[in-house]
Amino acid sequence: MLQDKRILLILTGGIAAYKGLDLIRRLRERGAAVTPVLTRAAEQFVTPLSVAALAGEKVYRDLFDLTDEAEMGHIQLSRSADLILVAPATADIIAKMAQGRADDLASTLLLATDTPVMIAPAMNVRMWDHPATQRNLTRIAGDGVAVVGPNDGDMACGEFGPGRMSEPLEIVAAVEGHFGPRPLTGKHVIVTSGPTHEPIDPVRYIANRSSGAQGTALARALVALGADVTFVTGPADVAPPADVKIVAVETAHEMKDAVDAALPADAAIFAAAVADWRVASASDQKLKKSKDGLPVLTFAENPDILAGVSQLATGRPGLVVGFAAETHDVVAHATAKRARKGCDWIVANDVSPETGIMGGPENAVILITDQGSDPWPRMSKADVATRLAQRIANALG
Ligand code: C5P
């Protein structure tokens, strides 16, 4: 899909540079030619030798390398590619791009180019959240630079939050999306994600351990393929994706209303972990301790949003996908669930605590369709999302 595309890949200095090595491999697997550029700081994290070996090309490192000037000047180098990709992109290179500085080879190439530029930021969460970084990002987005990620997650510095570089396959999907064809262009896809919170009283609620990671990754992958995504999210741990219409809800009832309001859609993907029950009559005042005994909570059943949409007589999306989190007999339970709910596919997974899947970075799913069950190898949630988005694109094609 990237056959004959030439990508100038600039690696800047962050620990995520090691993922840049895998990125080179993934881009080349898809037929792209990769010309690597390393900043001085990047060389502290990956060696020019390993980068050159994986790229199968010379590594450009220094603005004043006269041999390079004889072979190819930096102006020509900056314009020889179909896309300039900066991955990882540090806060520093983003600041230089925003200011238009040109004090090393990487920043000079970025200033001299008339080629489209895409960046995959990677930095500490505080650096990402800093108003200066956000200001710089707004400015370069205004200059037409495409931004992939970053993701939420554990960081090498020991903190947690947005700032982790997108996974190589997510970046590849964005690069493929850039060159098109974008098979989901013009398609509206609803994605539900995250947990729901069901109130007990104004300060207490019933929740579950869903982080929203898989739904968020899926929304991102669908956007990369060109979809218009309405992202209906409960109170998730991870930040929502960019370039989607976000509808933030708390309860299952609010989620149902938001999904109904978002219809019609070409596809609806129900990745949210919706509470099955709510407290029948949540108190509008904080429950107090009392000598008269403990409070008794009575439950009422929540609407099944997936089943409702799957069974719509008119206006049913062409493809309805549910998720099934199981702890045993995964295929049997998920197959029965597919039939009971009336959806087209079920993405089933084993969430027994020992798998580390709930709230973790990886997933091992089994796709249940009318063709039977198809187990996928364990992979990152981002890779599951990319693969699923491609399957969705094929089904809607
Ligand atoms: O029945 P169960 O909760 O196991 O089904 C899981 C699937 O159903 C998920 O796709 C989830 O998003 C969806 N669901 C829903 N509304 C509910 C309960 C589950 O949409 N009330």
Side-chain angles (χ1 to χ4, degrees):
M1 182 149 177
L2 295 175
Q3 216 63 43
D4 304 325
K5 300 295 180 213
R6 176 159 289 280
I7 294 168
L8 190 70
L9 175 65
I10 299 176
L11 293 102
T12 65
I15 184 62
Y18 82 91
K19 288 201 241 176
L21 298 178
D22 189 36
L23 177 61
I24 295 173
R25 213 168 52 88
R26 304 285 195 160
L27 289 167
R28 291 194 67 203
E29 269 170 13
R30 285 160 178 75
V34 178
T35 306
V37 174
L38 278 179
T39 63
R40 283 260 181 274
E43 288 183 26
Q44 303 297 316
F45 295 92
V46 289
T47 68
L49 190 60
S50 44
V51 171
L54 284 166
E57 290 201 21
K58 172 185 169 59
V59 179
Y60 290 86
R61 300 159 64 188
D62 198 336
L63 187 55
F64 298 107
D65 185 331
L66 291 178
T67 322
D68 294 345
E69 287 299 325
E71 283 174 11
M72 186 193 289
H74 60 267
I75 302 288
Q76 198 190 339
L77 180 60
S78 79
R79 297 179 191 170
S80 61
D82 299 299
L83 176 73
I84 299 186
L85 178 60
V86 190
T90 57
D92 183 57
I93 193 77
I94 293 170
K96 281 182 181 169
M97 290 168 76
Q99 289 181 11
R101 290 178 60 181
D103 59 4
D104 63 2
L105 179 59
S107 53
T108 304
L109 292 173
L110 287 160
L111 194 62
T113 193
D114 56 2
T115 299
V117 177
M118 182 181 286
I119 66 168
M123 67 195 73
N124 167 273
V125 54
R126 295 259 166 84
M127 294 170 81
W128 173 256
D129 283 338
H130 197 286
T133 302
Q134 291 303 316
R135 204 164 49 234
N136 290 336
L137 282 160
T138 305
R139 181 168 285 184
I140 65 170
D143 293 340
V145 172
V147 181
V148 191
N151 291 347
D152 271 40
D154 288 320
M155 313 196 52
C157 53
E159 293 186 66
F160 182 91
R164 247 174 92 95
M165 187 171 88
S166 295
E167 296 304 317
L169 273 187
E170 287 180 299
I171 300 173
V172 167
V175 170
E176 287 179 332
H178 168 80
F179 288 116
R182 309 223 297 163
L184 290 175
T185 301
K187 303 285 185 195
H188 177 214
V189 183
I190 300 171
V191 178
T192 71
S193 183
T196 62
H197 285 184
E198 307 296 333
I200 296 170
D201 66 18
V203 296
R204 301 184 181 93
Y205 55 83
I206 296 170
N208 61 64
R209 294 187 196 281
S210 167
S211 63
Q214 187 63 79
T216 301
L218 186 56
R220 261 198 205 106
L222 292 163
V223 167
L225 296 183
D228 291 327
V229 173
T230 302
F231 187 67
V232 181
T233 176
D237 294 338
V238 303
D243 299 328
V244 298
K245 178 171 183 227
I246 297 169
V247 187
V249 299
E250 291 226 343
T251 66
H253 261 286
E254 288 170 6
M255 188 171 273
K256 178 189 177 338
D257 290 346
V259 167
D260 287 346
L263 289 167
D266 297 285
I269 321 296
F270 293 89
V274 185
D276 290 322
W277 317 283
R278 67 182 182 282
V279 177
S281 47
S283 170
D284 53 9
Q285 290 184 342
K286 186 180 171 195
L287 297 178
K288 292 291 194 195
K289 276 190 211 165
S290 141
K291 285 195 286 299
D292 304 335
L294 298 172
V296 175
L297 299 180
T298 313
F299 289 95
E301 197 165 341
N302 270 331
D304 190 318
I305 312 168
L306 168 63
V309 170
S310 299
Q311 293 164 28
L312 279 175
T314 50
R316 183 190 190 277
L319 181 69
V320 181
V321 181
F323 278 66
E326 307 286 350
T327 53
H328 59 283
D329 294 336
V330 176
V331 172
H333 280 125
T335 305
K337 190 168 288 181
R338 176 177 172 273
R340 195 168 62 242
K341 304 230 183 194
C343 58
D344 302 300
W345 301 350
I346 285 272
V347 183
N349 57 8
D350 184 345
V351 292
S352 321
E354 61 272 18
T355 64
I357 283 173
M358 199 100 176
E362 291 189 334
N363 210 347
V365 308
I366 303 166
L367 184 63
I368 316 268
T369 66
D370 61 354
Q371 305 294 310
S373 63
D374 176 15
W376 294 2
R378 191 174 173 120
M379 58 182 96
S380 72
K381 287 182 177 173
D383 289 354
V384 169
T386 304
R387 193 159 159 173
L388 196 56
Q390 198 55 59
R391 284 287 288 259
I392 292 167
N394 295 344
L396 295 185

